[in-house]
Amino acid sequence: MKQWKFSIVLFALCALAACDKTTVDFSYSPTEPRAGQSVRFSNSSSDGEEWAWSFGDGSTSESKSPSHTYKRPGTYTVTLQVDKKKSLTRVKSITVYDTVPTFSCSDSVPTIFRDVTFKALVYNPYNYPITYQWDVMSNTLYMPVSESNTAATYTLYFAQAAENVGVRLTMTINGEETVVEKVFAVKDTTATQVLMRTAGGDYGQRIFAGNRFEVEMHAGDTEAKALLDAVQDTMQVFNNQTFTVSMLRALIPDIEGFCIANRKLYYRANGLYVSHIDGTQAVQIEAQPTQALTIDVADNRLYWAVADSVRYMPLVGADNNRFTTVPTTLNTLQGVEKITIRNK
């Protein structure tokens, strides 16, 4: 009888032991997380219906495989308990490293004469004091847009293309200096080029976003010289019809030069005017005597020269030739006699 009872007890204990063979385990990714980076905890327990996580920083979760973000660097104790049983518990340590400061660029491939902004990326949960110093490590010509290079962001534009332009950010965080350098390829870009001729020579001015430009003498630019030699505003073919100043003087007696675009006549006659092609509904654009004019059809802009400058205006008009835009001074070149456009 005693042997029979002993067998029952032994059987019960074995059955109980078999029921408690649930294994509790987990892993996490990434294995070397940084402060501010999401950590994924993967529950690899063999069984269970309820889970209780403690991440060691006061945060908890009841999800099977949760994610958690540590705000501060340090070593934390992570605990997973299954089905509310202390016997089904797994404990591991996780080390969270400090975030490495870096910076971003608003354009992956910067292009000349367009604003590019560099921004420091620093995780600073303790609000430590930080100083910044931006430097361009290249002989490439550039111009700052930001008033200072000692803020968290720095905006500039490059005036010269180059393959390897280094940008360096030096940060001092709570007394510790960190230096981050990145190399960029600055590319050239197609832009409208206004070619102008004065009595003193030929000039080319490239127009970019943000009204940034360059002015340069085209002494050896044979293409620009040929374009300027050929340009005139006294004859134009429009809708297979040839218009000349002589022909248009029957409609506008004092006309000196003209361009036709958008079915409008833009002409100079002791000033600059726009009218219908038959000369009616004329509206004055520029009161000063106009020496030359041209139209860039691609960019839909009108350019003209007065005695002391070159001006332009987008061709955005309303009814009866009344324009919704106003003239803008392009440069202060004096005595411009010819203007033409090329895209380069």
Side-chain angles (χ1 to χ4, degrees), residues 192-213:
T192 299
Q193 190 170 34
V194 185
L195 303 176
M196 298 157 284
R197 172 166 292 174
T198 71
D202 300 338
Y203 296 83
Q205 182 157 330
R206 303 179 74 190
I207 312 302
F208 296 89
N211 291 329
R212 310 197 197 290
F213 57 84

Side-chain angles (χ1 to χ4, degrees), residues 207-317:
I207 312 302
F208 296 89
N211 291 329
R212 310 197 197 290
F213 57 84
E214 60 178 340
V215 179
E216 56 187 12
M217 180 74 74
H218 281 272
D221 192 334
T222 56
E223 179 188 6
K225 185 178 186 304
L227 289 171
L228 284 167
D229 287 343
V231 69
Q232 47 76 36
D233 62 358
T234 57
M235 183 183 73
Q236 184 175 341
V237 178
F238 179 75
N239 280 354
N240 298 319
Q241 180 180 353
T242 299
F243 291 80
T244 65
V245 165
S246 299
M247 180 184 72
L248 291 172
R249 279 189 177 137
L251 304 172
I252 308 168
D254 56 350
I255 189 172
E256 298 175 351
F258 69 94
C259 287
I260 299 174
N262 300 336
R263 305 191 65 83
K264 302 289 184 181
L265 179 67
Y266 299 86
Y267 64 91
R268 52 189 180 92
N270 296 321
L272 184 63
Y273 298 82
V274 58
S275 71
H276 298 324
I277 294 179
D278 61 4
T280 60
Q281 296 290 336
V283 173
Q284 188 178 65
I285 297 173
E286 173 70 75
Q288 300 182 63
T290 304
Q291 301 169 170
L293 79 155
T294 191
I295 290 177
D296 179 12
V297 178
D299 288 336
N300 208 32
R301 282 183 175 184
L302 173 68
Y303 296 85
W304 68 94
V306 294
D308 61 356
S309 61
V310 174
R311 294 160 68 75
Y312 72 94
M313 184 179 72
L315 299 181
V316 182

Side-chain angles (χ1 to χ4, degrees), residues 22-99:
T22 300
T23 59
V24 181
D25 202 2
F26 64 89
S27 61
Y28 55 87
S29 178
T31 57
E32 295 182 355
R34 299 187 181 278
Q37 185 178 25
S38 179
V39 181
R40 174 70 174 176
F41 290 89
S42 298
N43 190 337
S44 56
S45 301
S46 63
D47 203 353
E49 296 181 354
E50 296 181 39
W51 301 274
W53 292 85
S54 173
F55 299 111
D57 61 350
S59 300
T60 60
S61 175
E62 294 181 355
S63 298
K64 182 177 181 180
S65 294
S67 294
H68 181 65
T69 300
Y70 291 92
K71 296 182 179 180
R72 300 177 181 178
T75 300
Y76 298 89
T77 299
V78 180
T79 303
L80 169 61
Q81 187 178 101
V82 177
D83 292 337
K84 300 180 180 179
K85 294 182 179 181
K86 293 183 179 180
S87 59
L88 301 180
T89 301
R90 187 76 164 95
V91 178
K92 289 185 179 181
S93 293
I94 181 172
T95 299
V96 179
Y97 296 86
D98 204 355
T99 300

Side-chain angles (χ1 to χ4, degrees), residues 109-136:
V109 181
T111 54
I112 61 174
F113 289 96
R114 287 190 171 91
D115 287 358
V116 58
T117 299
F118 300 98
K119 180 180 180 180
L121 303 175
V122 183
Y123 185 71
N124 186 25
Y126 297 111
N127 293 318
Y128 288 141
I130 305 178
T131 63
Y132 306 91
Q133 174 72 44
W134 297 92
D135 295 290
V136 177

